[in-house]
């Protein structure tokens, strides 16, 4: 992260809040937060092989606070890799991001609701609880499929020389819990709008969303994971578990680079340190 740029809310805060929600909504599901050096492309097939149900990956992004605005930038090389993996089926990747209703960045310290765009304010401690009302984080957290994110980015986002592109710039003057004007933020030609966090999971358990890639694992007569149905819009394909797991790139570790200024290694696919979540929802939770 460049000097002078502060995140609107720490990724770790959103990570904890989303984990609490998903652990309660899918108590029998499997959550996995890959560490630095673990490749989400390799872990997805292995999680899909854990049992019947649905498997997907979440890219948790946070906006940057710039005065009274909040800007969401996308790592275009990472997005391109998700859209065109080195092998195997298309990937069920979804982007999760906040639409802050405050000005300025929040810190990891708990406290009162922020107000001014100067300096940093403490994050309210109760926003992870649904009973707080409109201030609940799920009312200002949204989800888009990787395909819809790509469609909403400016033309030329995937040019070889580009590494980042702005998805939207949001002014924080909207009401708490209010829906942003997506038509003006993302363009009136967008077929699919971002979904609110809670509604997204309702759609997921009902075999959606249709604009994103979906993986569903089925078992054989003995109850062992046998095949994965891959839905991509109106297209579908079936991968045996052996085919899915027998991909050469599954055994390849992601390339690492050394940050000369910090003197530490950086994972080539980590972006700005945003958090990733892999989730397997058991068949019993699907409709």
């Amino acid at each position: 992260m460049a000097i002078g740029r502060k995140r609107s809310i720490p990724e770790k805060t959103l990570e904890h809040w989303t984990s609490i929600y998903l652990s309660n909504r899918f108590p029998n599901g499997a959550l996995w937060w890959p560490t630095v050096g673990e490749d989400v492309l390799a872990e997805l097939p292995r999680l899909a092989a854990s049992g019947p149900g649905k498997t997907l990956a979440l890219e948790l992004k946070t906006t940057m606070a710039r005065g009274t605005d909040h800007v969401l930038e996308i790592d275009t090389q990472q997005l391109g890799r998700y859209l065109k993996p080195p092998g195997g089926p298309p990937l069920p990747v979804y982007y999760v991001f906040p639409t802050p209703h405050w000005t300025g960045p929040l810190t990891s310290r708990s406290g009162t609701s922020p107000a001014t765009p100067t300096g940093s304010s403490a994050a309210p401690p109760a926003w992870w609880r649904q009973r707080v009302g409109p201030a609940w984080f799920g009312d200002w957290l949204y989800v888009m499929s990787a395909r819809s994110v790509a469609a909403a980015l400016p033309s030329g986002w995937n040019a070889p020389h580009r590494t980042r592109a702005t998805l939207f710039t949001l002014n924080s003057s909207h009401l708490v819990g209010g829906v942003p004007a997506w038509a003006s933020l993302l363009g009136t030609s967008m077929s699919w709008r971002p979904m609110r966090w809670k509604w997204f999971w309702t759609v997921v358990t009902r075999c959606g969303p249709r604009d994103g890639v979906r993986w569903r694992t089925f078992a054989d007569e003995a109850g062992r994971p046998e095949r994965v149905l891959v839905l991509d819009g109106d297209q579908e394909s079936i991968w045996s578990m052996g085919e899915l797991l027998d991909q050469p790139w599954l055994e390849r570790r992601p390339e690492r680079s050394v940050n000369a200024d910090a003197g530490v290694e950086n994972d080539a696919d980590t972006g700005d340190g945003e958090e990733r979540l892999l989730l397997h929802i058991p068949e019993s939770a699907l409709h």
Side-chain angles (χ1 to χ4, degrees):
M1 183 174 62
I3 296 175
R5 300 173 62 198
K6 293 187 177 181
R7 295 183 174 99
S8 306
I9 184 170
E11 290 100 337
K12 284 296 182 183
T13 300
L14 289 178
E15 173 191 337
H16 295 321
W17 290 353
T18 54
S19 296
I20 291 171
Y21 176 86
L22 292 173
S23 295
N24 280 275
R25 179 147 189 169
F26 305 111
N28 296 320
L31 293 174
W32 183 258
W33 292 95
T35 61
V36 172
E38 290 182 297
D39 192 341
V40 67
L41 305 188
E43 297 303 325
L44 269 171
R46 294 171 182 143
L47 194 59
S50 63
K54 202 165 184 177
T55 305
L56 67 158
L58 301 179
E59 269 292 334
L60 192 60
K61 306 292 186 181
T62 189
T63 53
M64 294 292 180
R66 296 179 182 172
T68 59
D69 292 338
H70 299 276
V71 182
L72 183 63
E73 292 186 338
I74 299 297
D75 181 331
T76 55
Q77 294 182 351
Q78 181 189 66
L79 174 61
R81 187 165 181 251
Y82 287 157
L83 294 176
K84 295 182 178 180
L91 301 172
V93 177
Y94 295 84
Y95 281 68
V96 182
F97 50 85
T99 55
H101 53 81
W102 59 87
T103 52
L106 300 183
T107 70
S108 296
R109 295 177 294 105
S110 63
T112 58
S113 181
T116 62
T118 57
S120 299
S121 301
W127 281 2
W128 66 275
R129 299 179 182 272
Q130 292 193 50
R131 65 171 180 242
V132 300
W136 177 56
F137 84 97
D139 282 340
W140 43 266
L141 198 67
Y142 285 81
V143 187
M144 288 181 76
S145 71
R147 295 206 184 283
S148 289
V149 168
L153 288 175
S155 176
W157 67 266
N158 55 349
H161 66 280
R162 297 195 65 171
T163 59
R164 307 195 72 78
T166 298
L167 183 63
F168 63 78
T169 299
L170 176 71
N171 188 279
S172 62
S173 60
H174 67 282
L175 296 175
V176 177
V179 179
W182 293 120
S184 61
L185 292 174
L186 301 177
T188 55
S189 62
M190 279 292 297
S191 300
W192 299 91
R193 301 286 185 240
M195 291 187 188
R196 268 187 171 163
W197 174 254
K198 188 176 181 180
W199 175 244
F200 173 77
W201 295 110
T202 298
V203 173
V204 165
T205 57
R206 295 176 181 173
C207 297
R210 289 189 56 81
D211 67 313
V213 177
R214 290 149 284 163
W215 282 15
R216 188 161 182 175
T217 303
F218 293 92
D220 59 18
E221 294 181 355
R224 295 170 298 193
E226 178 186 39
R227 65 193 186 279
V228 173
L229 173 64
V230 178
L231 299 172
D232 186 4
D234 294 328
Q235 300 181 355
E236 66 176 66
S237 60
I238 296 178
W239 290 69
S240 71
M241 204 57 66
E243 289 176 317
L244 193 65
L245 295 174
D246 189 24
Q247 297 292 323
W249 51 272
L250 286 178
E251 302 303 324
R252 187 181 67 212
R253 301 297 292 174
E255 297 179 1
R256 303 177 71 86
S257 60
V258 177
N259 184 325
D261 294 331
V264 297
E265 288 185 332
N266 291 325
D267 181 48
D269 192 33
T270 57
D272 272 346
E274 296 92 341
E275 302 298 331
R276 295 182 186 84
L277 165 65
L278 274 62
L279 173 65
H280 180 77
I281 303 173
E283 188 70 25
S284 59
L286 303 178
H287 301 290

